[in-house]
């Protein structure tokens, strides 16, 4: 029933989006597994991983759009939530290596043996249980978002101040994760994963399934985001974005609404990170880099903030260009990215989907 | 050179090497001593050092010094010893005469290890104690104090007897005290006096000596040493505090330098410029270019390179700033989040441009003579570069205050900031004031880049390292308050350096970040907040 | 004297002082609003009118003084904006602030009296009762035709009315209305006065206004503020005749 209600509210671009993601979810793994290499329908293993990565980026963009596009909170720390989810997944993957590591230690991951540690740090307890690890994938980013949001929103830190704070937090996290003493592999991060729930992470079939899961997660994230923004709560979020003080004088506790959507969004970003890590095979502190977080912002801006499909589309478009350009003209990519930031904010503030949407609405309005 | 002496020397060497194992080797000549350097065995080298130190040979000091610097070499074919000058010229070790024809390529350096280095330190001590230069003699006395080689005591006593220079005499007295205080053979009164002498010196090595009195020493000596050590420790703690304070002020002035331009663009104008760090970077690269040009065309002016770089960096960063304001930022006034994104794009493009032109690796920016080295202030070693940066920062801050308070431009700028519409209606061209104010902030950032090129790696990423810190400083100090920025930068610098010994550099930095984040929660408008209805929007 | 009457007053301000960087925006301000009353507040620029609104609605905390609501039941200085709004004090801003990207209907829907907590708003459903209430409000503020128009597309006067409609949707005991007729035509001004009078039948209203013709139109008790405190109080004719008022305000 909820699905029906939701489906009824979908606009054109949203219907197309759902159809495309569902199709990809089925077709990409099929094309990879069923058609042999050389067949025109074959999708290479490398492409499956690449597309899977884009799906997780799209989910990250979706989560960012939820807070920025709908509630006006420009978080420059979503990369941190993404990375924290990734680390939680990475810790599970490390623990499940077991005795197959270089040092063959059943409990301690290789890097701890290398650092001459004798005991597993408390933070790593229970991460051998998949269920617990998945709980942490959501809980840790959610908790960070809750604590950060609790303080920031209550003290009414808004606008660029909030952006700078989220960036500083991300930076502080990056510095901490670089330290070996933190117990998360320091500089090198977590890597050399063997298997996920018994399935080898490098295997073609596992990767195909991971892609499908990423696509499903994107759909799930979209459904949740859509449910939120089309509810009355969604109206409140946009109200906060457009006139925060007015919303407060209507009796809404702005900080609680912000906190809610910030935490939901952080959890979504964490899930995206958790799906990202087994596909790329590594998670290290560079994922916390403030530049990553702000790059995710431009995906949303390109696609169109305040449109869920735009965020996802922007993530895929920008990353596809990045993949293509860094291979073809590596020195050009940063110029292009820089130009994107400038041109989109100056000339395409609504993004692709937002601009197209306005154009269609205009045309329908005229005749 | 005929072959026979070579042959004999070789035999002598073999013999010497053989005899070396036996402690009964006696009756060396200088030749034998020198030959020991060429056996390529560490024990021989050590012995040779000891012997030559005692020999009184006119080249002795030079040989041992050359050995320390790795400039002592021997020729494998005839095992003759050479001293290589700092300029690469070779001289015979025995005579000190230049032998330009000996090919440096065929020479092998005499190697040293840690035991040999200890021997060298002691030998240098003796040799330098007899030097004609009082400075050398003082260094020698201090070296002996460090070495704690009791066998040097007679040499020290002899030196003290003929010493005329008061400072050198003090140094020798201290060295003697250091040797005597742990020497059980000395009478108690002598050892007590030695303790007092050490306590007066109050240095870390004195503390180590006082703490190393063996447990079997007489009770009176131990008690006195204990008291003296406690006193020295207090003294050292105070010195350490002062030193940390200086380091903190130095770091604080670096922060201030990086943030001060931002205090204008963000603090006063409210423009969030993520490319601020790149303005700093451009200043640093301007310095690099100026130095390259001077190196190529006017090397004699190299020491003045920073002076040339300052106005140029101001112009370069300032005009880039004005260009950014005119082409991008002015269309985004009132939309801070968009400004943030667009200027981030500018920062990416500027970084990549610099990377394309200058390459992505670090560029070498030299320190002019007045910026190099360090000096000693009450036992605290301070580097000139750090000190000059503190001075420079104060100058920049004063300059900025002057511009804002006392110039016509500053007056117009303040007018525009306070009431744009009114300023416009009295004939101020507000959009040009915006552009030039932004240019001023960017130019100041460029000037900061000149200074930071002296202490940091000049690479395309230079600016990225400062941007978050700079924003933190400005926000912490209170947006719109230059003095707030000053206080914030200095206090954060000092806090960071005071935390460092306790928590380590990275944790200290994290702690500071967390502190600022919490602080902003409590006082979102910073230390020197502007209160009132106008500040609310 | 005032103290004994606290129990009667809907809104009670006494000795309220607010200063910004040494400038006293409010100076020992005392004001009483009876239940069901409509009061007009006038005063020159900087007299402290907006600051007084800020204090009542919890946006600004007074340095000292009492701000009590509902017969002394609630101390407003201890509550935040949302809590004060929920108590039943609605505010219309000087500059009309509506949610520009929401439709007129959604603007009203957000303002309607309903649970304001996070989860109830997430699960809230549209229902007939809500629709009826919105229809009624649209009729009151004459915006039926603009029901599905984004509020950003309304004219200035329509925005003012929409905001008043949102105030009504909240169904507050007390409405604070800041310069409701700024930028309106004479006809609109007249209609707004009529609207406020109608609203006053069921609500207490405080109107801050510059427009003396409008205040005269309302025909209610007038309080003149000057330099953060009350200079005069009475009918429009009484205060117009007051020499001090003429000097500081009307005389200009």
């Amino acid at each position: 029933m909820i699905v029906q209600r939701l489906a009824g509210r979908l606009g054109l671009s949203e219907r197309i989006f759902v159809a495309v993601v569902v199709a990809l979810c089925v077709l990409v793994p099929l094309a990879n597994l069923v058609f042999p290499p050389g067949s025109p329908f074959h999708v290479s293993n490398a492409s499956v991983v690449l597309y899977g990565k884009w799906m997780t980026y799209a989910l990250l963009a979706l989560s960012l759009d939820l807070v920025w596009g709908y509630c006006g909170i420009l978080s420059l720390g979503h990369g941190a939530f993404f990375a924290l989810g990734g680390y939680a997944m990475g810790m599970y993957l490390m623990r499940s290596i077991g005795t197959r590591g270089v040092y063959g230690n059943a409990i301690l991951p290789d890097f701890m043996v290398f650092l001459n540690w004798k005991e597993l740090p408390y933070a790593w307890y229970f991460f051998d249980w998949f269920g617990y690890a998945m709980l942490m994938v959501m809980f840790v980013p959610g908790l960070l978002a809750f604590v950060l949001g609790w303080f920031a929103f209550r003290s009414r830190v808004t606008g660029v101040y909030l952006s700078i704070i989220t960036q500083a937090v991300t930076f502080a996290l990056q510095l901490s994760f670089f330290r070996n003493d933190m117990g998360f592999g320091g500089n090198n991060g977590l890597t050399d994963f063997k298997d996920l729930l018994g399935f080898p992470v490098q295997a073609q079939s596992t990767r195909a399934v991971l892609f499908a899961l990423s696509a499903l997660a994107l759909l799930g994230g979209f459904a949740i985001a859509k449910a939120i923004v089309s509810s009355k709560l969604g109206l409140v979020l946009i109200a906060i974005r457009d006139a925060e003080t007015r919303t407060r004088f209507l009796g809404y506790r702005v900080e609680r609404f912000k906190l809610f959507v910030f935490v939901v969004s952080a959890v979504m970003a964490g899930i995206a990170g958790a799906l990202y890590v087994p596909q790329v095979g590594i998670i290290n502190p560079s994922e916390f880099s403030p530049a990553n977080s702000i790059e995710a912002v431009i995906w949303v801006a390109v696609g169109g903030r305040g449109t869920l499909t735009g965020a996802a589309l922007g993530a895929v478009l920008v990353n596809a260009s990045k993949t293509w350009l860094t291979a073809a003209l590596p020195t050009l990519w940063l110029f292009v990215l820089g130009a994107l930031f400038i041109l989109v904010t100056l000339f395409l503030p609504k993004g692709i989907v937002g601009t197209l949407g306005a154009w269609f609405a205009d045309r329908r309005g005229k005749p | 050179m005929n072959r026979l002496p070579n042959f004999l020397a070789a035999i002598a060497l073999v013999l010497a090497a053989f005899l070396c194992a036996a402690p009964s080797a006696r009756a060396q000549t200088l030749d034998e001593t020198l030959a020991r350097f060429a056996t390529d065995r560490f024990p021989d080298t050590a012995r040779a050092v000891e012997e030559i130190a005692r020999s009184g040979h006119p080249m002795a000091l030079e040989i041992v010094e050359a050995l320390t610097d790795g400039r002592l070499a021997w020729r494998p074919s005839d095992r003759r010893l050479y001293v290589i000058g700092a300029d690469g010229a070779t001289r015979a070790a025995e005579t000190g005469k230049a032998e330009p024809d000996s090919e440096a390529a065929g020479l092998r350096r005499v190697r040293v290890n840690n035991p040999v280095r200890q021997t060298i330190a002691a030998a240098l001590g003796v040799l330098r104690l007899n030097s004609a230069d009082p400075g050398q003699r003082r260094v020698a006395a201090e070296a002996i104090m460090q070495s704690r080689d009791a066998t040097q005591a007679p040499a020290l006593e002899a030196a003290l007897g003929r010493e005329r220079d008061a400072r050198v005499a003090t140094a020798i007295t201290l060295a003697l005290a250091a040797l005597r205080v742990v020497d059980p053979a000395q009478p108690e009164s002598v050892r007590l006096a030695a303790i007092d002498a050490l306590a007066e010196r109050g240095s870390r090595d004195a503390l180590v000596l006082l703490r190393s009195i063996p447990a079997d020493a007489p009770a009176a000596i131990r008690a006195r040493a204990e008291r003296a050590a406690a006193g020295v420790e207090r003294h050292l703690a105070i010195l350490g505090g002062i030193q940390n304070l200086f380091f903190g002020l130095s770091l604080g002035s670096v922060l201030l330098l990086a943030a001060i331009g931002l205090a204008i663009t963000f603090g006063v104008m409210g423009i969030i410029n993520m490319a601020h760090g790149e303005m700093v970077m451009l200043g640093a690269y301007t310095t690099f270019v100026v130095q390259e040009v001077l190196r190529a065309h006017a090397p004699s002016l190299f020491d003045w390179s920073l002076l040339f770089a300052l106005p140029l960096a101001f112009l370069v960063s300032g005009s880039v700033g004005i260009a950014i304001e005119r082409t991008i930022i002015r269309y985004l006034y009132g939309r801070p989040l968009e400004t943030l994104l667009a200027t981030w794009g500018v920062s990416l493009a500027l970084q990549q441009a610099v990377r394309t032109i200058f390459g992505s690796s670090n560029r070498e920016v030299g320190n002019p003579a007045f910026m190099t080295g360090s000096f000693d202030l009450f036992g605290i070693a301070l580097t000139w570069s750090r000190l000059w940066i503190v001075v420079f920062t104060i100058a920049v801050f004063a300059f900025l205050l002057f511009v804002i308070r006392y110039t016509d431009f500053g007056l117009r700028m303040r007018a525009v900031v306070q009431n744009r519409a009114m300023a416009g209606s009295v004939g101020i061209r507000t959009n040009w004031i915006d552009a030039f104010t932004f240019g001023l902030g960017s130019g100041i950032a460029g000037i900061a880049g000149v200074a930071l090129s002296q202490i940091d790696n000049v690479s395309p990423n230079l600016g990225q390292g400062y941007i978050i810190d700079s924003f933190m400083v400005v926000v912490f100090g209170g947006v719109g308050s230059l003095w707030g920025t000053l206080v914030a930068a200095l206090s954060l610098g000092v806090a960071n350096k005071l935390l460092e010994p306790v928590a380590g550099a990275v944790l200290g930095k994290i702690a500071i970040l967390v502190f600022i984040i919490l602080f902003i929660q409590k006082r979102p408008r910073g230390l020197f907040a502007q209160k009132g209805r106008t500040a609310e929007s | 004297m005032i103290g004994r009457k606290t129990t009667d007053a809907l809104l009670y301000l006494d000795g309220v002082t607010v200063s910004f960087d040494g400038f006293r925006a409010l100076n020992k301000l005392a004001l009483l609003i009876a239940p069901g009353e409509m009061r007009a507040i006038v005063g020159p620029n900087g007299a402290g009118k907006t600051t007084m609104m800020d204090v009542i609605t919890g946006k600004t905390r007074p340095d000292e003084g009492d701000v009590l609501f509902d017969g002394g039941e609630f101390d407003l200085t201890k509550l935040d904006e949302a809590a004060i709004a929920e108590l039943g004090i609605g505010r219309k801003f000087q500059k009309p602030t509506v949610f520009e990207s929401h439709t007129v209907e959604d603007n009203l829907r957000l303002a309607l009296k309903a649970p304001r907590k996070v989860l109830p708003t997430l699960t809230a459903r549209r229902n007939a009762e809500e629709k009826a209430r919105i229809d009624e409000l649209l009729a009151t503020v004459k915006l039926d035709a603009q029901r599905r128009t984004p509020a950003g597309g309304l004219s200035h006067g329509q925005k003012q009315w929409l905001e008043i409609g949102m105030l009504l949707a909240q169904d507050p005991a007390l409405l604070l209305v800041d310069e409701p007729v700024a930028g309106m035509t004479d006809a609109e001004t007249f209609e707004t006065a009529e609207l406020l009078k109608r609203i006053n039948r069921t609500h207490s209203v405080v109107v801050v206004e510059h427009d003396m013709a409008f205040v005269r139109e309302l025909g209610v008790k007038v309080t003149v503020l000057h330099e953060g405190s009350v200079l005069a109080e009475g009918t429009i004719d009484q205060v117009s005749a007051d020499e001090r008022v003429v000097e500081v305000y009307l005389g200009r």
Side-chain angles (χ1 to χ4, degrees):
Chain A
M1 197 194 96
I2 292 174
V3 175
Q4 263 181 346
R5 270 170 30 96
L6 218 53
R9 290 187 203 162
L10 293 185
L12 177 66
S13 76
E14 288 165 335
R15 282 159 203 258
I16 297 174
F17 169 78
V18 170
V20 168
V21 177
V22 169
L24 285 177
C25 177
V26 177
L27 293 180
V28 169
L30 267 186
N32 173 246
L33 295 173
V34 176
F35 294 100
S39 152
F41 300 109
H42 178 72
V43 173
S44 73
N45 294 352
S47 302
V48 172
V49 171
L50 189 64
Y51 300 159
K53 221 169 85 173
W54 292 351
M55 290 295 134
T56 63
Y57 284 157
L59 182 56
L60 172 62
L62 203 69
S63 72
L64 186 58
D65 192 24
L66 197 55
V67 287
W68 182 40
Y70 289 91
C71 199
I73 304 167
L74 178 54
S75 160
L76 298 182
H78 262 54
F81 301 133
F82 184 82
L84 284 174
Y87 263 96
M89 174 58 103
M91 285 160 78
Y92 164 74
L93 293 169
M94 287 307 268
R95 293 289 311 266
S96 59
I97 293 173
T99 54
R100 288 167 295 174
V102 178
Y103 299 104
N105 191 310
I107 304 290
L108 297 184
D110 276 348
F111 77 86
M112 292 187 196
V113 183
F114 182 76
L115 290 174
N116 212 9
W117 291 7
K118 297 296 174 225
E119 278 178 31
L120 197 67
Y122 294 123
W124 283 74
Y125 278 26
F126 312 119
F127 265 94
D128 45 341
W129 296 346
F130 184 73
Y132 176 81
M134 292 309 101
L135 205 66
M136 288 298 122
V137 160
M138 297 185 273
F139 179 74
V140 175
L143 181 71
L144 175 66
F146 184 84
V147 173
L148 189 62
W150 173 268
F151 282 116
F153 301 144
R154 223 181 33 151
S155 343
R156 303 198 183 164
V157 178
T158 54
V160 286
Y161 291 89
L162 189 78
S163 303
I164 294 170
I165 284 190
T166 53
Q167 189 175 42
V169 168
T170 311
F171 184 54
L173 276 171
Q174 186 183 23
L175 289 180
S176 347
F177 272 75
F178 267 126
R179 303 179 67 235
N180 278 329
D181 299 348
M182 273 288 278
F184 298 109
N187 217 345
N188 302 321
L190 311 176
T191 186
D192 292 330
F193 308 133
K194 299 285 189 255
D195 51 32
L196 175 61
L197 285 174
F199 301 102
V201 285
Q202 304 278 357
Q204 195 181 348
S205 55
T206 316
R207 291 188 153 174
V209 171
L210 278 171
F211 169 84
L213 283 176
S214 305
L216 283 178
L218 177 59
L219 280 178
F222 173 76
I224 290 170
K226 183 70 193 170
I228 289 175
V229 302
S230 55
S231 70
K232 188 176 172 190
L233 188 139
L235 291 183
V236 177
L237 294 183
I238 295 177
I240 291 170
R241 179 191 73 189
D242 291 350
E244 179 168 336
T245 319
R246 190 81 194 85
T247 317
R248 203 169 260 132
F249 282 118
L250 281 184
Y252 293 99
R253 288 195 187 275
V254 167
E255 57 276 13
R256 293 194 190 162
F257 285 84
K258 284 184 170 178
L259 192 59
F260 170 80
V261 73
F262 196 54
V263 171
V264 169
S265 166
V267 170
M268 262 162 82
I271 293 173
L275 283 162
Y276 170 84
V277 166
Q279 301 191 65
V280 298
I282 184 168
I283 174 83
N284 61 33
S286 68
E287 291 296 334
F288 282 104
S289 151
N292 280 14
S293 294
I294 202 165
E295 206 177 310
V297 173
I298 203 62
W299 306 339
V300 180
V302 167
R305 75 187 90 144
T307 62
L308 295 173
T309 54
L313 178 74
V316 174
L317 274 186
V318 174
N319 279 294
S321 330
K322 182 180 188 172
T323 306
W324 174 66
L325 260 182
T326 44
L329 296 156
T331 53
L332 214 59
W333 166 243
L334 279 179
F335 284 122
V336 171
L337 188 63
L340 261 187
F341 273 99
I342 299 166
L343 298 178
V344 166
T345 44
L346 282 182
F347 302 114
L348 206 64
K350 289 179 182 168
I352 296 172
V353 173
T355 308
L356 284 179
W359 186 66
F360 276 119
D362 247 21
R363 269 177 41 129
R364 239 178 301 155
K366 263 174 198 159
Chain B
M1 219 172 279
N2 65 44
R3 274 156 192 265
L4 192 60
N6 284 353
F7 177 64
L8 286 178
I11 289 182
L13 265 170
V14 171
L15 271 175
F18 184 69
L19 289 173
C20 222
S24 60
R26 288 270 178 269
Q28 311 88 349
T29 64
L30 184 67
D31 278 344
E32 278 175 50
T33 301
L34 290 182
R36 277 191 231 286
F37 281 116
T39 60
D40 205 18
R41 293 182 62 238
F42 293 124
D44 285 351
T45 313
R47 241 187 100 190
V49 170
E50 280 174 13
E51 287 169 12
I52 200 154
R54 262 180 261 136
S55 69
H57 187 269
M59 281 294 288
L61 180 57
E62 203 169 325
I63 290 173
V64 179
E65 277 177 343
L67 180 60
T68 357
D69 304 344
R71 292 185 290 106
L72 191 65
W74 52 286
R75 184 153 55 203
S77 57
D78 57 4
R79 297 189 181 261
R80 269 177 58 90
L81 210 56
Y82 294 93
V83 173
I84 305 172
D87 51 355
T90 47
R91 289 183 299 153
E94 199 181 335
T95 58
K97 289 212 178 83
E99 288 194 19
D101 53 326
S102 57
E103 328 94 78
L107 296 179
R108 289 181 58 185
R109 308 221 162 204
V110 179
R111 298 180 304 142
V112 292
N113 63 359
N114 278 337
V116 176
R117 274 189 204 101
Q118 279 173 13
T119 319
I120 292 176
L124 274 179
V126 175
L127 286 170
R128 286 179 179 153
L129 270 182
N130 300 330
S131 165
D133 172 15
Q136 282 267 10
R137 295 204 294 276
R138 201 155 69 95
V139 171
E142 277 161 13
I144 294 174
M145 180 164 170
Q146 300 285 341
S147 74
R148 280 198 261 165
D149 179 0
T151 60
Q152 307 264 15
L156 280 176
E157 279 160 9
L160 189 58
R162 58 174 185 268
E163 186 57 62
R164 294 282 167 268
D165 186 310
R167 289 175 69 191
V168 180
T170 318
I172 296 178
T173 317
L174 267 172
L176 261 178
L179 300 185
R180 281 174 180 158
V181 75
V182 287
D183 185 358
Q186 297 290 339
E188 193 169 311
S189 61
V190 172
R191 294 180 74 181
L192 287 176
I195 289 174
D196 292 344
L198 286 173
E200 200 168 317
R201 169 163 166 121
S203 65
R204 182 146 303 276
D205 40 1
L207 180 65
V208 171
L209 275 165
L210 288 170
R211 286 259 184 257
S212 63
I213 306 275
D216 56 359
I221 289 181
R222 273 186 301 151
R224 174 93 61 111
E226 197 62 42
R227 263 204 316 280
V232 172
E233 236 167 25
R234 264 198 310 281
H235 178 69
L236 284 176
I238 294 170
L239 275 190
I242 294 173
Q243 184 155 21
N244 272 336
L245 202 67
F246 175 75
F247 286 161
L249 285 181
S250 155
L251 176 68
S253 55
V254 169
L255 285 175
L256 179 60
L257 214 43
I260 198 167
L262 204 66
I264 300 282
T265 54
F266 179 55
V268 176
M269 301 179 75
I271 297 171
I272 177 131
N273 179 20
M274 297 299 273
H276 174 78
E278 278 58 45
M279 301 294 130
V280 176
M281 174 197 70
L282 286 181
Y285 272 92
T286 307
T287 317
F288 167 71
V289 171
V290 166
Q291 289 198 346
E292 287 300 291
V293 170
L294 285 182
R295 271 207 188 98
H297 300 291
S300 57
L301 290 176
F302 185 81
D303 273 350
W304 297 95
S305 59
L306 298 188
L307 213 59
F308 292 111
L310 282 177
L312 276 174
F314 184 84
L315 283 181
V316 168
S317 297
S319 38
V320 170
I322 290 179
I324 296 173
E325 200 277 341
R326 284 288 89 188
T327 53
I328 298 170
I329 291 173
R330 71 161 158 160
Y331 300 107
L332 298 172
Y333 280 125
R335 287 155 64 194
L337 296 183
E338 274 84 349
T339 314
L340 187 157
L341 293 178
T343 51
W344 177 266
V346 172
S347 105
L348 287 182
L350 282 176
Q351 278 177 52
Q352 187 62 15
V354 167
R355 202 172 282 127
T356 311
I357 299 170
F358 296 98
S360 52
S361 52
N362 292 346
R363 282 317 185 130
E364 174 74 26
V365 171
N367 298 106
F370 70 94
M371 292 283 276
T372 47
S374 61
F375 64 102
D376 194 273
L377 193 73
F378 309 117
I380 309 170
L382 307 176
T383 57
W384 280 111
S385 59
R386 295 268 165 191
L387 189 76
W388 276 115
I389 283 184
V390 174
V391 172
F392 179 70
T393 309
I394 295 169
V396 171
F397 189 80
F399 166 72
L400 202 56
L401 277 187
F402 173 79
V403 167
I404 293 178
R405 291 237 175 117
Y406 299 110
T407 64
D408 186 49
F409 170 71
L411 180 68
R412 280 156 196 265
M413 186 183 116
R414 280 178 291 144
V416 171
V417 167
Q418 279 165 18
N419 192 334
R420 175 170 299 270
M422 181 61 89
S425 64
V426 298
I428 296 174
R429 300 182 62 177
T430 54
N431 52 349
W432 279 105
I433 293 293
D434 286 338
F436 282 116
T437 310
F438 194 79
L440 174 69
S442 305
I444 296 278
I447 287 184
V450 177
L452 296 182
S453 76
Q454 296 295 305
I455 51 165
D456 202 346
N457 295 328
V458 177
S459 80
N461 304 327
L462 173 89
Q464 288 296 299
Y466 290 102
I467 185 74
I468 293 181
D469 286 344
S470 304
F471 271 111
M472 288 288 130
V473 165
V474 175
V475 172
F476 180 54
V479 169
S481 162
L482 274 186
W483 286 102
T485 306
L486 176 85
V487 173
L490 294 185
S491 51
L492 288 181
V494 171
N496 206 334
K497 283 296 167 189
L498 292 185
L499 270 178
E500 237 169 53
V502 188
V506 178
L507 264 192
K509 196 169 168 52
I510 295 169
I512 295 278
L513 275 179
V514 170
F515 164 75
I516 298 177
I517 291 163
L518 290 176
F519 178 86
I520 294 174
Q521 316 287 354
K522 265 267 153 270
R523 294 191 64 169
R525 306 208 169 264
L527 275 176
F528 294 83
Q530 294 183 332
K531 206 179 149 198
R533 243 167 55 179
T534 46
E536 287 285 317
S537 54
Chain C
M1 186 191 90
I2 293 169
R4 268 179 284 133
K5 287 191 174 179
T6 30
T7 43
D8 300 339
L10 178 66
L11 183 67
Y12 170 98
L13 273 71
D14 190 27
V16 177
T17 301
V18 175
S19 28
F20 299 120
D21 288 336
F23 166 69
R24 285 211 161 175
L26 292 183
N27 190 6
K28 301 211 167 77
L29 175 71
L31 185 73
L32 281 179
I33 307 290
E37 185 186 351
M38 167 134 68
R39 174 78 59 93
I41 300 204
V42 298
N45 274 327
K49 295 172 307 219
T50 302
T51 308
M52 182 196 76
M53 296 278 218
D54 285 347
V55 167
I56 296 169
T57 52
K59 192 175 177 214
T60 302
R61 297 248 175 275
D63 300 333
E64 52 187 88
D66 297 326
V67 185
L68 304 176
F69 183 63
D70 202 4
E73 190 85 17
F74 303 100
D75 181 356
L76 298 184
T77 60
K78 300 268 190 299
L79 300 171
D80 69 357
E81 295 100 314
I84 292 172
E86 282 209 89
L87 274 183
I89 297 182
R91 177 176 184 183
K92 200 204 81 63
F93 288 83
Q94 189 172 343
K95 190 172 151 245
T97 38
V98 292
F99 305 120
E100 308 233 328
S101 45
H102 284 323
T103 60
V104 168
E105 183 181 8
D106 281 344
N107 267 283
L108 291 174
R109 192 166 171 236
L110 278 175
L112 272 188
K113 205 167 190 167
R116 295 290 204 241
K117 292 214 156 70
V118 175
L119 288 180
T121 50
L122 181 62
T123 54
R125 300 269 167 271
R126 290 163 204 270
N127 56 38
E129 189 192 335
E130 185 186 279
K131 188 174 174 301
R133 187 89 180 90
I134 290 177
D135 288 344
E136 186 191 322
L137 285 164
L138 284 170
T140 312
V141 296
K142 303 198 166 73
L143 288 169
D144 296 283
Q146 285 77 23
R147 177 188 273 262
R148 301 211 185 282
T149 312
L154 297 180
S155 74
H156 183 79
Q158 285 173 323
K159 280 184 192 166
Q160 297 272 36
W161 278 52
L162 174 57
E163 206 179 354
I164 293 172
M166 288 165 73
L167 265 188
L168 289 175
Q170 282 177 268
D171 195 20
L174 174 67
L175 279 82
L176 303 177
V177 188
D178 202 350
E179 301 200 14
V181 296
M184 281 191 176
T185 61
D186 286 351
E188 282 172 333
T189 303
F190 177 76
E191 281 192 62
T192 306
E194 290 305 307
L195 177 63
L196 286 177
K197 280 192 241 172
R198 237 179 302 145
I199 290 169
N200 183 227
R201 285 177 209 148
T202 44
H203 304 85
S204 305
V205 183
V206 172
V207 186
V208 168
E209 193 42 79
H210 270 305
D211 188 332
M212 295 311 287
F214 173 74
V215 173
R216 195 171 287 278
E217 186 67 50
L218 289 176
V220 296
K221 189 174 177 187
V222 177
T223 299
V224 183
L225 289 191
H226 177 57
E227 289 177 352
S229 38
V230 174
L231 186 67
E233 226 165 46
T235 66
I236 184 78
D237 294 324
Q238 286 170 342
V239 299
S240 302
D242 190 313
E243 271 177 29
R244 289 169 304 163
V245 174
V246 173
E247 190 183 323
V248 303
Y249 186 44
L250 302 170
R252 283 185 191 191

